[in-house]
């Protein structure tokens, strides 16, 4: 999942009234079941890590969907179906507990690529290792998102194993393309059967592992949208330069598609190297509200700026701005980022070629009220206006930003569960990262949708990705505590969800 830990610009909730927390009936029985199933749940996570689905490489796309389907049936869903799309298939499942209210769940079963040589243990082994935080599973997908999702499934197994009915009904949708920008996720949710079931939900959440080293966690009220694309310059499409790599000595008489791409890229941002310069880019940018600014400002007061800089390996914010200004920018500014540049020879030493093709991998982060469609249209118009209509724009995925009302039942029930657990919480107006929540918050569903969970982990998209299993710090949840937190949350939601969303 495309997340950015939002505690750096979050604030403690002060204005929302939360009713008294619900009690989980016979909680000891469920907790005992979770504890007794610890080894089985751990193996379930390790076995799932061993089954990677990598959409970018079309690895295990059908097998991954079927594995996801079987995991859901095993956890107690009465039905789980494969939903075909024009890309990687999704999964739709329902669990009817005969309850008054229904909760929507979003899962992703795909993971990022990995280079085994960069890992300290095999990325598909799911090895249990010692870390300063405690025992942790290391593997691709451990924290993003199979670990948190397995914790939620462990909560469902506790209900199943004890013969207990859930206090809410569940409707779940899972996709296998989140890591490439969810290009076909809308097709899954637009399926008539899926949409009809989802319309019954009071909201949708994706399980997460959001606790900080202090034990506090963050509820993110929104997320930036994202568009992933490639800009490609080639002699073939340009009509100038070579159609294949040629000897670099010919650059004296032959145009370079690589330099043309560099020149096109240089028009996308201003002289400062980061402010988007696409015409009309800020036309639909919605300013932060006073409430959102208040949350960010209060969060900055509670955050160690030096520690944040250390985590990200930076010494300066853009323009040497102060911490508050930088965090306001983080939440409010759309961006155009170069993920990678690829052209010609990149191996050891030199090869003295003039490449016939160059590619830039780009992501554009969007804020309300921007849309994916408008952003792509503006990019193409900008390139054409500046004489670069030959640059191919290949959009591989993406979606618009999302926002959820802090007074929704979904948010109020989550905060009540955190209070009941004694966990310090924070509200973030918006994650700088992205997830396809707009598929739920936008029409026709118009549901609240957020990420939510306790526990911790790290290394998403990086080598040695990990999720905590047994915690040394009593303030940070391990696997079993995280599973029980989801149990308690379902009862909290059931007690609160009386009329409306």
């Amino acid at each position: 999942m495309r997340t950015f830990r939002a505690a750096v610009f979050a604030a403690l909730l002060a204005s929302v009234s939360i009713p008294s927390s619900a009690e989980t009936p016979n909680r000891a029985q469920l907790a005992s079941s979770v504890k007794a199933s610890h080894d089985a749940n751990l193996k379930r996570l390790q076995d799932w890590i061993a089954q990677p689905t990598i959409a970018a490489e079309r690895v295990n796309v059908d097998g991954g969907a079927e594995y996801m389907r079987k995991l859901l049936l095993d956890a107690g869903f009465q039905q789980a179906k494969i939903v075909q799309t024009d890309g990687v298939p999704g999964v739709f499942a329902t669990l009817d507990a005969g309850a008054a209210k229904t909760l929507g769940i979003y899962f992703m079963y795909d993971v990022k690529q990995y280079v085994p040589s960069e890992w300290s243990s095999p990325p598909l082994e799911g090895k249990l290792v010692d870390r300063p935080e405690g025992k942790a599973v290391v593997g691709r997908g451990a924290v993003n998102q199979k670990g948190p999702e397995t914790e939620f499934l462990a909560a469902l197994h506790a209900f199943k194993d004890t013969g207990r009915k859930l206090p809410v009904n569940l409707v779940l949708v899972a996709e296998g393309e989140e890591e490439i920008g969810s290009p076909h996720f809308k097709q899954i949710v637009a399926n008539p059967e899926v949409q009809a079931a989802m319309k019954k939900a009071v909201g949708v959440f994706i399980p997460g592992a959001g606790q900080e080293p202090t034990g506090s966690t963050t509820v993110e009220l929104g997320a930036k949208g994202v568009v992933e694309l490639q800009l490609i310059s080639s002699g073939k499409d340009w009509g100038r330069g070579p159609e294949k790599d040629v000897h670099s000595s010919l650059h004296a008489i032959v145009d370079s598609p690589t330099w043309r791409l560099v020149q096109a890229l240089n028009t996308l941002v201003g002289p400062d190297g980061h402010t988007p310069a696409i015409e009309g880019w800020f036309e639909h940018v919605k300013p932060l509200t006073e409430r959102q600014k208040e949350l960010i400002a209060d969060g900055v007061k509670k955050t160690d700026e030096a520690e944040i800089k250390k985590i990200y390996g930076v010494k300066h914010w853009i323009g040497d701005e102060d911490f508050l200004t930088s965090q306001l920018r983080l939440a409010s500014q759309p961006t155009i980022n170069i993920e990678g540049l690829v052209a010609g020879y990149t191996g050891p030493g030199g090869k003295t070629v003039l490449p016939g093709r160059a590619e830039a991998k780009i992501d554009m982060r969007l804020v309300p009220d921007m849309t994916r469609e408008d952003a792509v249209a503006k990019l193409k118009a900008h390139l054409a206006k500046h004489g670069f209509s030959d640059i191919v724009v290949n959009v591989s995925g993406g979606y618009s930003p999302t926002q959820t009302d802090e007074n929704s039942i979904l948010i109020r029930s989550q905060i009540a569960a955190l209070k009941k657990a004694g966990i310090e919480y924070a509200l973030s107006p918006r994650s700088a990262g992205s997830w396809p929540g707009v598929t739920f918050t936008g029409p026709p569903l118009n549901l609240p949708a957020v990420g939510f969970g306790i526990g911790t982990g790290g290394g998403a998209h990086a080598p040695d990705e990990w999720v905590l299993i047994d915690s040394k710090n009593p303030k940070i949840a391990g696997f079993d505590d995280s599973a029980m937190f989801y149990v308690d949350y379902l009862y909290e939601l059931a007690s609160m969800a009386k009329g409306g969303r």
Side-chain angles (χ1 to χ4, degrees), residues 9 220-226 280-289 292 296 328-335 364-372 374-375 399-405 428-435 437-438 441-442 449:
F9 60 95
E220 296 171 338
L221 299 174
K224 287 184 176 180
V226 67
W281 189 249
F282 292 90
E283 178 184 3
H284 301 300
V285 170
K286 184 177 181 179
L288 293 172
T289 65
Q292 290 171 329
I296 293 169
L328 290 168
R329 177 192 293 277
L330 181 64
S332 64
Q333 180 166 304
T335 60
M364 307 189 300
R365 301 283 173 172
L366 314 178
V367 300
D369 289 323
M370 301 174 77
T371 66
R372 164 188 160 158
D374 187 59
Y399 37 81
S400 302
T402 182
Q403 198 72 42
T404 286
D405 186 348
S428 158
R430 184 176 305 137
S431 168
S434 306
W435 76 289
V438 68
T441 60

Side-chain angles (χ1 to χ4, degrees), residues 432-455:
S434 306
W435 76 289
V438 68
T439 311
F440 307 112
T441 60
L445 294 176
N446 300 310
L447 294 170
V450 297
F452 178 62
I454 59 175

Side-chain angles (χ1 to χ4, degrees), residues 21-24 27 415-423 488 491-492:
S21 295
E23 292 300 323
T24 299
R27 188 179 190 276
I415 290 170
L418 291 168
K419 281 188 172 182
K420 175 178 160 184
I423 297 172
D488 294 334
Y491 280 105
E492 202 66 58

Side-chain angles (χ1 to χ4, degrees), residues 230 232-235 242-245 257-258 342-344 354-359:
Q230 297 80 44
I232 303 168
S233 172
S234 68
E243 294 191 7
K244 60 181 181 180
D245 291 3
T258 304
V342 184
L354 193 169
R357 183 184 186 278
E359 175 180 336

Side-chain angles (χ1 to χ4, degrees), residues 11 15 22 28 71 79 88 144 184 255 258 262 308 361 368 401 403 428 438 441 456 485:
S15 65
L71 282 174
Q79 68 93 16
V88 177
N144 184 21
H184 302 100
D255 291 307
T258 304
V262 170
I308 297 301
K361 296 181 182 296
Q403 198 72 42
S428 158
V438 68
T441 60
T456 194
F485 180 77

Side-chain angles (χ1 to χ4, degrees), residues 25 34 56 77 99 121 138 163 180 248 263 297 299 303 343 367-368 372 412 461 463 468 474 479 484 487:
V34 169
F77 284 85
S121 65
V138 172
I180 59 170
S248 66
Q263 290 165 348
T303 304
V367 300
R372 164 188 160 158
R412 290 188 289 117
H461 297 191
L468 189 63
F479 187 100
M484 279 307 300
V487 168

Side-chain angles (χ1 to χ4, degrees), residues 226-244:
V226 67
V227 181
E228 288 198 293
L229 55 90
Q230 297 80 44
L231 298 181
I232 303 168
S233 172
S234 68
K236 179 180 179 180
D237 292 311
W238 186 17
R240 303 185 66 86
E243 294 191 7
K244 60 181 181 180

Side-chain angles (χ1 to χ4, degrees), residues 338-349:
I338 300 174
E339 296 178 359
L341 287 170
V342 184
Y345 179 71
T346 60

